[in-house]
Amino acid sequence: MIHEIVSSCVCVIIPNLTRDQRPYAFIENVITDGEHRKKGLATACLNYARDLAVKENCYKLMLLTGAKEESTLRFYEQAGYNRKDKTAFIQWL
């Protein structure tokens, strides 16, 4: 049987010295193959990442995206994220 990865995300658990030393989780690189979109796969990936963060006692879950399409940003908001609390700065190396 051949399995194919059609949707994924990166979720990193980051140790932390604040918030009673509770870690936080960071999500990036959420992607679903074009032929498999609108089937709930990215939502399942995000839910799995959230479950991991809860299991690891994270106090927050952050998501960074380079997407500018309003539909993508609304998707993340519907998944429970907001774009109001933090400002991201990136320095490319």
Side-chain angles (χ1 to χ4, degrees), residues 36-65:
H36 298 278
R37 291 183 182 159
K38 306 291 185 190
K39 298 179 181 177
L41 299 172
T43 299
C45 286
L46 292 176
N47 289 342
Y48 185 78
R50 184 182 188 287
D51 291 346
L52 286 174
V54 169
K55 179 182 173 198
E56 294 297 321
N57 195 33
C58 293
Y59 78 94
K60 70 178 175 182
L61 181 57
M62 295 191 312
L63 182 145
L64 185 64
T65 182

